[in-house]
Amino acid sequence: MIHSLHLTSTQARPAAIAGLWTFSPQSGLLQALLFLTFFLTSASAATIRAYLQPDHARTGQEVSYVITVQNGTIQSEPQLRLPVQVGMSSALSTRQSIEIRGAQQVISTQLSWGVTSSEPGEFVLPPQELLVNGEVLKTNEVRLTVSESATTVPTAAEDATIPLFQIEVGKTEIYQGEVVPISASLYVPRRSVMLRRVGLIEVNKSDFAIARFPQQAEQNPQRINDVDYIVFTYRSTLSALHAGDLKVGPANCELLFEVYDETAQRQMSRGLPFGMIMGDVEPRKHVVKSQEVKIKVLPLPTEGKPANFSGAVGDFSISATATPNELSVGDPLAVDITIDGSGNFDALNPPGLMPPEGWKAYPPRRYNVDGPIDPNLMPTLQHRIGYSMVFVPEKVHTELPPFELSYFSPAQKKYVAARTPPIALRIKPGAVVAAAVGAESSGGVEPPKPPPVQQPKPQVSDILMKIPAKAQWLSTTAANAPLTTSTRFWAIQSIPAALVVLAALFMWLRRRRAEATSGVRGELQQLWQGLEESHLPDRDFLQRAAHFIHRSQPDGVQDEELQQIIRRYETQSFTAAPASGQELGAGERSRILSTLAPLLKRTAIFIATLTLLSLNAGAADASPDELYQQAREALEKGKFTQAQYLGESLTKQQPPALSSAVFTLIANARYRQEDMGRAALWYQRAQLLDPLNPEVRQNLRHLDGKLRFFRFGEDSPLAEWSLLLNKNTWVIAASVGVWLILLALMRWILADSQKGSSGTYALIFSILGLLIFIPSATFAAIRPVPGDRVKDVMVVTAREVSAYSAATVTSGNVIALPPGSQVRLLEKRGAWSYVEVPSGDEHVRGWVESATYTPLWPWDMGLVP
């Protein structure tokens, strides 16, 4: 599990980052951060990297120039060297991140400046020099592409006070899989509109994979056609899923803003604070819509396509390091590979050895070299990822062969195979191999094989799809009450079996009487009693008579006399005022009752018919078992959306059909649709009902390896073990132990004292009873209350979710919450929730958006085992 701590400081113009740590009001916070870095930095070598965010901009637009330093202490502030056309627009800001990767601690320090260009073109920002850990390190050079600012803006035909919206794609002719920047610009009239909230930017993703637009925007004032605008620019990345002439957009976004009248506009133009502005303010809610952008997507060429091409499109560079350089045959060799560049990193596969003969490779582990990605920052095309690998030499080598990475370069319009240089090694023969070589030289004996290399641990790369043929439904009527609170349980323990039989007979007779006065028969009897009431108004009498007829004729009313009664009811009830002479007399009421009396006498036949009809209706309306089988078949055929819909429809029935098998089926369907957050949610629900299910446990471990989500644990191992069985099972086991002790005591009392074997058997039964009773009673006593395990527990189902220090995305970041993470709801305030996150020994708290999580158990708490 990866934990991160982020510290951020912004300063106007720090005097210096002194190595003597002399604090001043201007640079004290930055020096404190660097002092912390000095003590926390591990012994690994420092690395440094520079990048732009974003690397495409317009003239006059500010971009961030970022330098990231890992595992190093910055001892002096760099003096930026910039091209003449590029100038610094904002002061230095610092940000620190502490990441735990297994047993290794990685510290990243980011220095960020704002830079702008007043001219269009492509500019190269040269390497910068920093004094890190007592030595001067240089960054890489970066390129900034600047295009001419837009001189026109879409016009609003209806209302000039509505903000305007447009999107722009970095290139209009791209290759399939190529990642290009996309920006969404919101033009807000400066003097008439005050923007309050910007919703999520939604773009149709049927043809493109578009990263989520961040909620943080760039703000730039622009004057277009003598109108002052504030332009909010949101940036993301886009890649095409298939070739052809495609369209991006339109993009939609919901806005909340206020429109000021002329008086307020004049006050705003004079620079008055918003709190002092007087005049009419009209709040509005509006969905803005952008234009469409046509893009030509070219297919990847088939000529020259490498055999190991995985679909990576972009421009990448690769480097590798290996430690130790001196080892023996059979010893592990740790290799770190770094891939830097721009492109679709998700399509990259781990680079392979060329050639791989004579090396035993273990599964690699992928990680972000620059630490966790902050979802609040705008995505950039430039990334740097790493692969940690382990190789074991099976024979003597003089070098580690090159690693090869194949990708398609849109800039060169061809496939490229990038290779690392070979790494020189000193590999000595192992003890067994050296002895074998000596034996071969002396006697010609066949050398023994080298010792077997230890097999790696299982690396699960997919979920298990084993679904039971029949679901064990969770009872929705018994409420899973503990046996310790059941009087019947203690009665069975103390009353002879004859009383149990009598109690069962009594319950059977009581149920027969209840059936006689309940259901359809009881309802008809109550309706008949209502018809016989005196002083009943005509309308109520006819309404009850019609209801009686409909309940007694489930297949429809065919009898003409009964239809006349229903028509009389409709005439009496659905007209403004009944005509004179239509009142019911005593004779007509008696005639209606005599017509309905045979229906009540045939109640027994009606009940039998109704039972058959209900069975037929059950055949027409699929039962839970039939729906479950349909969902299993859909899952096996690859119809994951249909399987998910059928499975979730079972949980929405009244009462809900709940089962661990159904939860697992839904989780598998969600996983196949790449909805990892909801897949983890349903697996966790399945584990609540069946904690020993091996498939569910393995799938959860697999998801945890991919997502690294947080989960609440139990206070002690005993409490965790007590959850392996439900409380009733532990109580039954404890009662079995008590009965064994009592039987042993009874045998000892009734046994002949001259027979020594009786005492031996009694002792054995007593010890066995104690061995069963003590742990069972202990686990039953300490087992957590089922409702408390799921009360206020929520599961994060959305991606790129973070907990913040306040109820706004512009506040400090507490911790990133991967999909599938559990949080405990403490307080809900509008669109935000105050939650507790299980992080390490001490839980942390923060604010998350309420729309990003789902309750772990939305049903009755009493149903939790």
Side-chain angles (χ1 to χ4, degrees):
M1 187 173 294
I2 296 177
H3 303 274
S4 299
L5 171 65
H6 301 284
L7 304 173
T8 306
S9 68
T10 304
Q11 52 192 8
R13 285 286 182 180
I17 304 177
L20 297 177
W21 306 103
T22 57
F23 289 85
S24 66
Q26 200 171 17
S27 62
L29 182 55
L30 176 61
Q31 293 180 0
L33 291 176
L34 300 177
F35 186 70
L36 176 64
T37 305
F38 178 78
F39 283 101
L40 296 180
T41 303
S42 62
S44 57
T47 59
I48 184 172
R49 174 174 177 259
Y51 61 92
L52 289 168
Q53 188 179 26
D55 55 4
H56 286 68
R58 297 175 180 172
T59 54
Q61 177 188 333
E62 183 179 272
V63 298
S64 297
Y65 180 66
V66 183
I67 298 178
T68 300
V69 179
Q70 280 195 352
N71 296 326
T73 303
I74 305 174
Q75 296 174 305
S76 66
E77 177 190 356
Q79 300 298 323
L80 291 186
R81 296 187 301 133
L82 302 174
V84 178
Q85 300 84 352
V86 180
M88 188 184 305
S89 59
S90 65
L92 168 66
S93 65
T94 62
R95 178 175 179 268
Q96 190 153 33
S97 171
I98 303 174
E99 181 183 358
I100 307 299
R101 298 177 184 163
Q104 184 181 4
Q105 182 173 263
V106 179
I107 302 173
S108 298
T109 303
Q110 287 187 351
L111 308 179
S112 178
W113 297 263
V115 296
T116 58
S117 174
S118 58
E119 300 179 11
E122 183 173 338
F123 309 103
V124 177
L125 277 66
Q128 313 294 332
E129 295 183 352
L130 277 80
L131 182 61
V132 179
N133 292 347
E135 62 176 331
V136 177
L137 299 182
K138 286 188 177 182
T139 68
N140 54 294
E141 67 177 28
V142 293
R143 294 181 179 271
L144 174 63
T145 303
V146 182
S147 58
E148 188 69 38
S149 296
T151 57
T152 59
V153 69
T155 58
E158 298 180 357
D159 193 347
T161 61
I162 296 179
L164 307 174
F165 196 42
Q166 71 174 9
I167 59 175
E168 182 179 352
V169 182
K171 297 170 61 177
T172 57
E173 182 174 301
I174 63 176
Y175 283 93
Q176 179 181 346
E178 181 182 357
V179 180
V180 295
I182 178 175
S183 62
S185 299
L186 185 64
Y187 293 79
V188 180
R190 188 172 185 176
R191 294 188 178 180
S192 59
V193 175
M194 174 55 63
L195 193 62
R196 292 302 182 188
R197 187 176 72 84
V198 179
L200 296 178
I201 300 175
E202 299 179 355
V203 187
N204 185 9
K205 300 180 181 180
S206 59
D207 298 325
F208 299 92
I210 303 176
R212 177 182 177 183
F213 283 88
Q215 294 180 333
Q216 179 179 348
E218 301 173 359
Q219 300 184 30
N220 293 293
Q222 286 193 23
R223 185 175 181 84
I224 304 174
N225 299 331
D226 296 330
V227 178
D228 290 329
Y229 291 92
I230 298 179
V231 184
F232 297 84
T233 304
Y234 301 85
R235 300 188 180 277
S236 182
T237 56
L238 167 149
S239 62
L241 301 177
H242 55 84
D245 294 328
L246 308 178
K247 294 181 180 180
V248 181
N252 300 316
C253 181
E254 184 181 77
L255 305 178
L256 291 179
F257 57 93
E258 295 175 351
V259 179
Y260 297 98
D261 62 3
E262 295 181 359
T263 302
Q265 293 180 30
R266 288 194 296 269
Q267 295 174 357
M268 290 180 65
S269 64
R270 292 198 299 268
L272 289 180
F274 296 123
M276 300 178 61
I277 292 177
M278 305 297 292
D280 292 336
V281 178
E282 179 188 355
R284 293 188 185 180
K285 183 177 182 181
H286 185 74
V287 177
V288 292
K289 185 176 181 181
S290 74
Q291 86 287 6
E292 294 180 346
V293 178
K294 296 181 179 180
I295 293 182
K296 183 178 182 179
V297 181
L298 305 175
L300 297 179
T302 57
E303 182 181 357
K305 183 177 181 180
N308 59 347
F309 178 68
S310 61
V313 179
D315 291 287
F316 307 95
S317 62
I318 181 174
S319 61
T321 60
T323 55
N325 296 105
E326 296 185 4
L327 67 160
S328 301
V329 173
D331 292 343
L333 178 68
V335 178
D336 283 322
I337 299 176
T338 302
I339 300 177
D340 194 349
S342 61
N344 56 345
F345 280 81
D346 293 337
L348 285 177
N349 283 341
L353 275 179
M354 302 299 291
E357 288 79 11
W359 295 89
K360 184 175 181 61
Y362 290 87
R365 183 179 67 87
R366 174 171 169 167
Y367 60 91
N368 290 322
V369 176
D370 295 326
I373 299 175
D374 192 343
N376 294 322
L377 299 179
M378 298 184 182
T380 176
L381 300 181
Q382 293 288 333
H383 290 290
R384 186 164 57 167
I385 65 171
Y387 288 97
S388 178
M389 301 182 177
V390 175
F391 292 89
V392 175
E394 298 178 331
K395 62 181 180 180
V396 176
H397 298 274
T398 59
E399 63 182 16
L400 181 68
F403 289 90
E404 183 177 274
L405 175 67
S406 297
Y407 61 92
F408 179 80
S409 173
Q412 305 179 36
K413 298 183 179 181
K414 66 177 183 179
Y415 292 96
V416 178
R419 287 196 175 192
T420 64
I423 301 175
L425 300 174
R426 284 186 179 182
I427 301 179
K428 302 176 183 179
V432 176
V433 176
V437 173
E440 182 179 6
S441 61
S442 60
V445 182
E446 182 180 358
K449 295 182 180 180
V453 179
Q454 184 180 4
Q455 294 297 321
K457 294 182 179 180
Q459 295 287 339
V460 181
S461 60
D462 202 354
I463 60 172
L464 294 173
M465 296 288 288
K466 185 177 182 299
I467 304 297
K470 188 175 182 181
Q472 300 294 329
W473 303 108
L474 185 65
S475 173
T476 58
T477 57
N480 297 324
L483 291 178
T484 53
T485 61
S486 173
T487 56
R488 181 178 299 179
F489 172 76
W490 296 112
I492 292 175
Q493 301 300 313
S494 58
I495 300 176
L499 294 180
V500 177
V501 174
L502 291 177
L505 179 62
F506 171 76
M507 292 298 294
W508 180 76
L509 294 175
R510 182 179 178 182
R511 185 176 300 173
R512 290 294 300 272
R513 288 198 304 269
E515 290 178 353
T517 57
S518 62
V520 178
R521 180 187 299 178
E523 184 180 354
L524 291 177
Q525 290 178 351
Q526 292 179 1
L527 289 174
W528 184 261
Q529 292 175 1
L531 288 171
E532 292 179 338
E533 292 181 5
S534 59
H535 307 293
L536 191 66
D538 291 348
R539 180 172 295 184
D540 293 342
F541 177 81
L542 290 173
Q543 180 183 8
R544 295 183 183 183
H547 190 190
F548 183 89
I549 294 173
H550 285 302
R551 293 297 294 153
S552 61
Q553 302 289 321
D555 290 335
V557 181
Q558 304 296 334
D559 187 82
E560 181 62 27
E561 294 183 358
L562 299 179
Q563 292 180 354
Q564 290 180 0
I565 296 174
I566 294 176
R567 286 195 294 269
R568 182 65 182 275
Y569 158 67
E570 295 174 349
T571 303
Q572 186 77 11
S573 300
F574 300 105
T575 55
S580 60
Q582 291 187 358
E583 293 82 2
L584 293 177
E588 189 171 1
R589 288 198 180 197
S590 299
R591 182 182 60 80
I592 291 176
L593 291 176
S594 61
T595 303
L596 300 180
L599 298 179
L600 185 62
K601 294 179 181 179
R602 295 195 298 270
T603 301
I605 302 176
F606 164 75
I607 294 297
T609 306
L610 184 63
T611 303
L612 293 176
L613 291 175
S614 64
L615 293 176
N616 294 333
D621 298 332
S623 65
D625 290 318
E626 293 173 341
L627 284 177
Y628 175 72
Q629 295 301 330
Q630 295 175 12
R632 286 186 70 245
E633 294 175 359
L635 188 67
E636 293 173 355
K637 295 178 180 178
K639 301 178 181 179
F640 305 123
T641 304
Q642 181 181 359
Q644 168 208 327
Y645 171 78
L646 292 172
E648 293 182 357
S649 66
L650 288 169
T651 65
K652 297 176 182 178
Q653 293 182 353
Q654 293 298 330
L658 307 179
S659 170
S660 175
V662 173
F663 292 171
T664 305
L665 183 146
I666 299 172
N668 292 345
R670 287 285 189 180
Y671 182 91
R672 291 304 182 207
Q673 299 176 78
E674 297 184 358
D675 191 351
M676 300 302 176
R678 289 179 176 81
L681 167 67
W682 286 102
Y683 280 134
Q684 293 175 26
R685 289 173 175 175
Q687 194 175 40
L688 284 174
L689 302 185
D690 191 4
L692 295 178
N693 189 302
E695 287 82 10
V696 174
R697 293 164 65 93
Q698 178 172 322
N699 290 345
L700 269 176
R701 288 195 302 270
H702 167 61
L703 270 178
D704 183 42
K706 292 174 68 69
L707 304 175
R708 298 298 184 186
F709 48 74
F710 303 99
R711 295 183 66 186
F712 287 102
E714 301 302 329
D715 297 334
S716 65
L718 291 179
E720 186 173 354
W721 296 342
S722 67
L723 295 174
L724 297 178
L725 299 175
N726 58 46
K727 191 167 186 176
N728 289 345
T729 305
W730 290 123
V731 172
I732 291 175
S735 65
V736 170
V738 172
W739 276 105
L740 287 175
I741 296 174
L742 293 178
L743 288 176
L745 181 61
M746 185 180 300
R747 180 177 177 85
W748 179 75
I749 293 174
L750 299 179
D752 190 353
S753 60
Q754 296 180 357
K755 296 181 179 180
S757 61
S758 299
T760 303
Y761 287 134
L763 180 61
I764 293 175
F765 274 92
S766 300
I767 295 175
L768 182 60
L770 288 173
L771 293 177
I772 296 176
F773 170 75
I774 293 177
S776 300
T778 302
F779 287 141
I782 67 175
R783 192 180 192 276
V785 179
D788 294 344
R789 297 173 55 201
V790 297
K791 183 179 180 181
D792 297 330
V793 176
M794 308 293 167
V795 178
V796 176
T797 54
R799 298 180 180 180
E800 300 178 354
V801 178
S802 294
Y804 300 94
S805 57
T808 172
V809 295
T810 59
S811 62
N813 187 14
V814 176
I815 193 171
L817 297 176
S821 297
Q822 292 183 357
V823 297
R824 191 179 303 279
L825 179 63
L826 302 178
E827 178 187 353
K828 190 171 183 180
R829 187 183 301 172
W832 289 85
S833 299
Y834 189 54
V835 299
E836 184 178 51
V837 182
S839 175
D841 297 333
E842 294 186 5
H843 297 176
V844 296
R845 297 187 176 189
W847 291 89
V848 300
E849 296 178 83
S850 302
T852 59
Y853 62 72
T854 304
L856 174 61
W857 190 263
W859 304 282
D860 184 10
M861 297 291 183
L863 296 176
V864 182

